[in-house]
Amino acid sequence: MMQPGRRGGAVGHDGAAPTRAHLLDLAFLLGVLAKGIDGLIELVAGAILLWVSPGQLATAAQRVTAHELREDPHDLIANLLVHGVAHLDSRTTAFIAAYLLVHGVVKLGIVAALMLGSLRVYPWAIAALAGFLLFQVYELFVLPGVGLALLTVLDALIVWLTWREWRRGRTVRDAFARTRAWVRRRRAD
């Protein structure tokens, strides 16, 4: 038997079995965490690209991949990295740096705002994430790839989960409190 939870969520009487709501709350929290980490990595990478020349990038890529390419000269990732940075020029590097910086700042801003708990931020977060999602869909048509397709599906899931929490009037703090209580009940059993 289900009973209404805080702000309209449903909580099982025993609280032990993972319900769909528990799993979606957990997915939402993990998605917000992943976006925060991703935003931080993009911010750091963008800042590094502002200060490193394309030649320095090529040298670093060769140093990082040298051991792997000696062992396996056909290693896909190592070869992609070496050949990818070999064709960079200063304009392309500056564009990538700016893109990563803006993307990172926006993601970190979204995560920070969501963590502060204001429901007014959710529509803005959804709009920004949906904008990134549309750009990724465009990129899929221009240069299709499995990695980008998976990232796009995961980002679409994050947008949907964010919309779901906003529609139900629940903040990240609410989702965290519900998930923490559920985990504690499971540990006690």
Side-chain angles (χ1 to χ4, degrees):
M1 176 153 194
M2 302 297 277
Q3 64 183 5
R6 189 170 169 203
R7 294 191 183 182
V11 178
H13 279 297
D14 62 354
T19 64
R20 182 175 181 257
H22 289 128
L23 296 175
L24 290 174
D25 284 346
L26 184 58
F28 174 66
L29 291 172
L30 291 174
V32 170
L33 177 66
K35 285 293 171 196
I37 292 169
D38 182 42
L40 185 60
I41 290 169
E42 288 178 345
L43 191 63
V44 169
I48 289 170
L49 286 176
L50 285 178
W51 302 104
V52 177
S53 72
Q56 291 170 314
L57 284 173
T59 301
Q62 289 170 351
R63 284 184 186 161
V64 168
T65 60
H67 178 71
E68 182 62 34
L69 289 174
R70 273 193 301 273
E71 287 182 11
D72 179 11
H74 302 291
D75 184 277
L76 178 65
I77 294 174
N79 277 302
L80 285 174
L81 182 62
V82 169
H83 294 295
V85 297
H87 300 289
L88 288 178
D89 60 25
S90 57
R91 288 180 57 191
T92 304
T93 304
F95 173 78
I96 293 170
Y99 177 83
L100 289 172
L101 287 169
V102 168
H103 218 239
V105 165
V106 169
K107 282 183 182 179
L108 286 173
I110 289 169
V111 169
L114 291 175
M115 296 298 287
L116 290 174
S118 173
L119 289 173
R120 294 186 308 243
V121 173
Y122 279 63
W124 294 101
I126 292 166
L129 292 172
F132 291 145
L133 189 64
L134 288 174
F135 182 74
Q136 287 172 212
V137 170
Y138 165 77
E139 286 292 317
L140 274 172
F141 282 107
V142 173
L143 188 62
V146 174
L148 185 58
L150 289 174
L151 181 63
T152 302
V153 169
L154 288 173
D155 282 350
L157 177 65
I158 299 302
V159 169
W160 177 76
L161 289 168
T162 305
W163 172 80
R164 175 184 171 270
E165 292 297 309
W166 173 63
R167 185 187 66 154
R168 292 175 182 216
R170 298 185 310 200
T171 65
V172 170
R173 290 180 186 174
D174 294 333
F176 182 75
R178 285 189 313 276
T179 302
R180 185 176 57 197
W182 172 65
V183 168
R184 285 182 178 165
R185 284 190 305 269
R186 286 189 54 95
R187 283 185 183 165
D189 291 342

